[in-house]
Amino acid sequence: MAERQRRVLPTVADTEALGRELAESLHAGDLVVLDGPLGAGKTALARGIADGLGVQGRVTSPTFIIARQHRAGHRVGAPAVPLVHVDAYRLGGDLDELDALDLDADLHQAVIVVEWGRGVVEHLAERHLRVQLAREPDSDVRTAVWEWVD
Ligand SMILES: Nc1ncnc2c1ncn2[C@@H]1O[C@H](COP(=O)(O)OP(=O)(O)OP(=O)(O)O)[C@@H](O)[C@H]1O
Ligand SMILES: [Mg+2]
């Protein structure tokens, strides 16, 4: 049974470490939906996931290109997978637009991580890992709540 988990993340390093940890349970075809306000740490978490998956290329905010593909690299303890990192912020809730992205990667062969994807991309997979990031005002502390949603 999937259950909701929660963790306080005092620093960006903690957020990246959570990403590496979550990556251990991710496999080809899995969808991760990152939710939370501007600067909440969605890209930082994606960087940790990419690191944990061992994919190639540096993770940056995909804001101006919508989706960035990272080729499979060297992964410890599980089959290597590519990563597709999407920023759905400007998709404006248009479901067709994400489907129309001309991605080289077969989405079923990759792990897909989507910032601002809540309510937009859930249909792409049977279930998804939802991570909700929150930030305290005037503080570096973030809180993550995550669960697998069918
Ligand atoms: N505990 C923390 N976790 C994550 N990021 C932190 C933390 N403390 C400070 N930061 C800083 O907050 C910023 C988070 O930026 P990041 O790009 O990851 O957020 P985002 O949610 O992707 O923003 P956007 O909505 O613009 O895409 C970075 O500058 C990071 O260094
Ligand atoms: Mg971001």
Side-chain angles (χ1 to χ4, degrees), residues 8-16 34-47 60-63 85 87 89 115-116 133 135 139-143:
V8 175
L9 305 163
T11 70
V12 65
D14 296 310
T15 301
E16 291 169 358
L34 304 183
D35 197 28
L38 280 171
K42 299 179 294 295
T43 300
L45 192 72
R47 199 181 306 125
T60 56
S61 175
T63 300
H85 179 201
D87 193 324
Y89 187 64
E115 299 189 30
W116 297 103
L133 288 160
R135 59 185 296 184
S139 162
D140 281 352
V141 177
R142 311 294 197 255
T143 303

Side-chain angles (χ1 to χ4, degrees), residues 1 16 27 35 43 56 66 70 72 96 144:
M1 260 301 264
E16 291 169 358
H27 304 286
D35 197 28
T43 300
Q56 300 180 32
I66 302 182
H70 297 269
D96 295 338

Side-chain angles (χ1 to χ4, degrees), residues 21-37:
E21 202 178 305
L22 294 176
E24 289 175 18
S25 62
L26 294 174
H27 304 286
D30 281 344
L31 174 65
V32 182
V33 177
L34 304 183
D35 197 28

